[in-house]
Amino acid sequence: MNPPCGRCTKPVYPTEKINCLDKYWHKGCFSCEVCKMALSMNNYKGFEKKPYCSMHYPKTSFTIVTDTPENLRLKQQTMLNSQALYKEDFEKNKGKGFSVVVDTPEMQRLKKTQDQISNIKYHEDFEKSKIRSDAPPPENRQIDEDSSNPARYQQGPACPAATAPSSGGRRFQAVYSYAAAEADEVSLQEGDLILDVEPIDKGWMFGVNQRTGQRGMLPANYVRPI
């Protein structure tokens, strides 16, 4: 029995039979699916078991890859290879004291975020220290009252200053200027006398500024005993 034609479904006789794409065709029926141009075994292109010419051959596009057992096996094999490679690199660099870090986009983003956080923290600490004093005091600074303020010892009638009565406590002298940051603190100018000084805790003490009569807390590293 003669097989049917893949195009017209009529019987195909051996003298005109073309066996292609798992079907039998008449020579006249073996043509492009779109433009009907006659094709031969040398110039056809098959797609889904249908003949096409080069011009009208369907363009293939990417499709979603399903998780078939074969794909899952390949995925697992790739992960195992990656782990083995990572372990090998780790063992190579183990004695060097550091590991190889790939500069990926994610690592660059984390590094940039850490830099921004560090800059913000630095500026916050700088502003806090700026409020506490107008200049950080050097530990080995020498005080020269005569050269810094010669008018302090000029002869002549002195104007009485508003002073707080002294109760015989310890006396200190300001060696650096200090701007009070809180309501219970005392502002200082270089050379001010501090009376009735009482230590509060490490770094702070309580006293009275003889020049202004202001009473409150002041930093201990801004004054020296006299």
Side-chain angles (χ1 to χ4, degrees), residues 162-166 195-196 208-210 212-215:
T163 61
S166 174
L195 309 177
D196 302 336
V208 180
N209 190 332
Q210 186 184 42
T212 62
Q214 188 179 9
R215 181 187 300 269

Side-chain angles (χ1 to χ4, degrees), residues 143-150 152 190:
I143 306 302
D144 189 359
E145 296 180 357
D146 294 337
S147 60
S148 63
N149 192 2
R152 184 183 299 273
E190 185 177 342

Side-chain angles (χ1 to χ4, degrees), residues 104-117:
T104 61
E106 181 66 17
M107 293 295 296
Q108 293 178 354
R109 185 186 67 80
L110 292 176
K111 183 179 179 182
K112 185 176 181 181
T113 302
Q114 293 175 353
D115 292 340
Q116 292 175 349
I117 294 174

Side-chain angles (χ1 to χ4, degrees), residues 4-226:
C5 176
R7 177 83 64 187
C8 65
T9 67
K10 295 180 180 180
V12 180
Y13 298 101
T15 56
E16 56 179 356
K17 179 173 63 175
I18 296 178
N19 186 3
C20 184
L21 300 175
D22 296 334
K23 296 180 181 179
Y24 295 97
W25 310 79
H26 295 110
K27 291 183 179 180
C29 294
F30 190 65
S31 60
C32 176
E33 194 73 16
V34 178
C35 64
K36 307 304 179 183
M37 182 183 74
L39 301 174
S40 65
M41 297 295 293
N42 297 327
N43 62 357
Y44 86 96
K45 288 188 176 183
F47 183 79
E48 294 183 353
K49 296 186 178 182
K50 294 180 181 180
Y52 291 89
C53 64
S54 300
M55 182 66 66
H56 297 101
Y57 181 74
K59 303 296 182 182
T60 58
S61 59
F62 295 102
T63 58
I64 299 175
V65 178
T66 57
D67 286 335
T68 60
E70 180 65 18
N71 289 335
L72 292 174
R73 187 188 65 80
L74 292 175
K75 183 178 179 180
Q76 184 179 8
Q77 185 65 32
T78 303
M79 292 179 61
L80 293 175
N81 292 338
S82 300
Q83 292 176 359
L85 182 61
Y86 171 79
K87 186 176 181 181
E88 182 180 355
D89 292 339
F90 176 78
E91 293 296 333
K92 287 181 180 179
N93 296 281
K94 188 174 182 180
K96 298 180 180 180
F98 64 92
S99 58
V100 178
V101 179
V102 182
D103 196 11
T104 61
E106 181 66 17
M107 293 295 296
Q108 293 178 354
R109 185 186 67 80
L110 292 176
K111 183 179 179 182
K112 185 176 181 181
T113 302
Q114 293 175 353
D115 292 340
Q116 292 175 349
I117 294 174
S118 299
N119 290 334
I120 293 173
K121 181 65 176 176
Y122 169 78
H123 287 296
E124 287 180 355
D125 294 341
F126 177 76
E127 292 297 331
K128 289 180 180 179
S129 63
K130 189 175 180 182
I131 293 176
R132 285 289 181 183
S133 67
D134 53 356
E139 295 182 358
N140 57 351
R141 179 178 175 183
Q142 300 295 329
I143 306 302
D144 189 359
E145 296 180 357
D146 294 337
S147 60
S148 63
N149 192 2
R152 184 183 299 273
Y153 299 99
Q154 291 181 354
Q155 295 180 356
C159 297
T163 61
S166 174
S167 61
R170 300 180 62 186
R171 301 177 61 185
F172 284 72
Q173 186 177 35
V175 294
Y176 312 111
S177 298
Y178 175 75
E182 303 291 342
D184 58 350
E185 295 181 2
V186 178
S187 296
L188 302 176
Q189 288 186 3
E190 185 177 342
D192 284 352
L193 293 178
I194 312 301
L195 309 177
D196 302 336
V197 176
E198 299 178 5
I200 300 176
D201 57 11
K202 185 177 181 181
W204 289 90
M205 55 180 56
F206 188 87
V208 180
N209 190 332
Q210 186 184 42
R211 178 178 58 84
T212 62
Q214 188 179 9
R215 181 187 300 269
M217 294 191 303
L218 58 141
N221 59 342
Y222 279 64
V223 297
R224 63 180 176 87
I226 57 175

